[in-house]
Amino acid sequence: MAKLAPGIEMLPQERQQRILQRLRSHGRVLAAELATEFGASEDSIRRDLRELAAKGLCKRVYGGALPLLAPLAPLKQRHAEHAGRKLALARKAVELVREGQVLLIDAGSTNAAIAAALPERMRLTVVTNAPDIALALYDREGFEILLLGGRIHPRVGGAVGGQTLRELQRIRADLCFPGACAIEAETGLWGFDSEESLFKRAMVEASGETVVVATDDKLGTQATHQIVSMTDVQHLVVEHDAGRAVRAAFVAKGASVHRAGVVRA
């Protein structure tokens, strides 16, 4: 983002529009950096960020702001959205799976694509809280399937709650795929629903390694409930066009970042 010429002062509305553009392209903004670039005081920038946050356009954090991710649409709607992008992510994600492993796969449209992309005849055990994932795998060769019980959350598309957690706590998996509502390098993985977030955290605790698969819109964002920090995420699978700066931020936190292939029209 270019600096303004000396003596030219940007209007607050123009400054805020530039801030939103920066959030979309970089995934985060820092007040000190914006003040230098805009030739404004940090107090003015912080006021801009407060106003944007009050309008529901960003999330204020210490020193700056993050994009505010919209709550998830119903699962049936998500299944129909961005199928090509999710398929590309799924194909990259299953490259991390090894023969004979026990996998924990969360509910969600991207995870349904991962389940569909799993290769057969690898003696895989799949533990899931999602009936649609269990149903998609049950007649394929080489899979043992364990469906966790409990109350099915209609928006999540999977079981959550006390019974589901108790059953999960008796499982030990090699690899887990928790659904990603939001993920940010400094603060980790986030969810919108409290029960669902507790389930995702228990998945991570029950697994040797964690793979987070995220579309571009979820990178550099936060939701309502923190699930785990980035120290608990070993692998992050991103879309091919995920920004270099965003990828580097996750690598700096110790995660192996895997880029999906190009989505063909």
Side-chain angles (χ1 to χ4, degrees):
M1 189 180 292
K3 294 183 181 180
L4 292 175
I8 298 177
E9 185 174 350
M10 190 181 296
L11 295 172
Q13 293 86 347
E14 185 182 3
R15 206 166 51 222
Q16 291 177 17
Q17 188 60 38
R18 292 277 195 95
I19 291 171
L20 290 175
Q21 291 172 355
R22 181 67 174 265
L23 277 169
R24 286 191 288 268
S25 62
H26 287 69
R28 63 184 301 170
V29 293
L30 298 175
E33 291 181 357
L34 292 175
T36 300
E37 291 173 0
F38 295 158
S41 69
E42 285 195 44
D43 284 341
S44 295
I45 297 298
R46 284 193 286 268
R47 184 164 55 250
D48 289 336
L49 296 178
R50 286 196 298 270
E51 290 179 5
L52 290 170
K55 296 174 184 176
L57 298 175
C58 73
K59 179 181 179 66
R60 288 281 285 119
V61 295
Y62 181 77
L66 296 168
L68 190 65
L69 192 64
L72 290 176
L75 181 62
K76 184 177 180 180
Q77 179 181 330
R78 302 201 308 272
H79 272 303
E81 295 174 341
H82 312 303
R85 293 165 58 190
K86 292 172 183 176
L87 177 59
L89 286 166
R91 286 173 173 167
K92 175 56 66 172
V94 300
E95 292 179 6
L96 298 168
V97 176
R98 299 290 176 261
E99 184 173 358
Q101 286 188 322
V102 177
L103 311 178
L104 263 172
I105 303 182
D106 195 7
S109 57
T110 301
N111 281 342
I114 291 170
L118 288 171
E120 297 183 352
R121 303 180 181 88
M122 286 184 63
R123 299 183 297 105
L124 297 173
T125 299
V126 174
V127 184
T128 183
N129 64 327
D132 63 323
I133 288 176
L135 188 63
L137 290 173
Y138 91 99
D139 61 350
R140 295 180 60 197
E141 187 172 347
F143 292 96
E144 181 176 351
I145 303 159
L146 175 58
L147 179 60
L148 299 173
R151 179 181 64 87
I152 300 294
H153 192 303
R155 181 188 58 78
V156 172
V160 294
Q163 178 181 337
T164 317
L165 281 175
R166 286 191 295 273
E167 293 184 13
L168 177 57
Q169 287 163 355
R170 294 194 288 269
I171 300 293
R172 286 296 173 266
D174 299 295
L175 210 59
C176 77
F177 295 87
C181 297
I183 185 167
E184 199 267 328
E186 293 298 324
T187 56
L189 185 63
W190 293 77
F192 286 110
D193 180 86
S194 59
E195 283 189 317
E196 183 187 14
S197 297
L198 284 172
F199 176 79
K200 294 177 191 293
R201 185 178 304 131
M203 286 181 67
V204 174
E205 292 171 351
S207 303
E209 289 189 308
T210 297
V211 183
V212 174
V213 182
T215 48
D216 287 346
D217 58 303
K218 296 176 181 178
L219 299 176
T221 64
Q222 293 181 359
T224 310
H225 304 277
Q226 188 187 39
I227 297 167
V228 292
S229 68
M230 283 307 301
T231 57
D232 295 307
V233 177
Q234 287 72 41
H235 302 277
L236 175 63
V237 181
V238 299
E239 296 189 70
H240 187 80
D241 59 356
R244 181 178 298 178
V246 174
R247 300 199 313 267
F250 288 104
V251 171
K253 291 298 180 180
S256 295
V257 178
H258 311 266
R259 291 173 71 195
V262 177
V263 178
R264 303 298 180 185

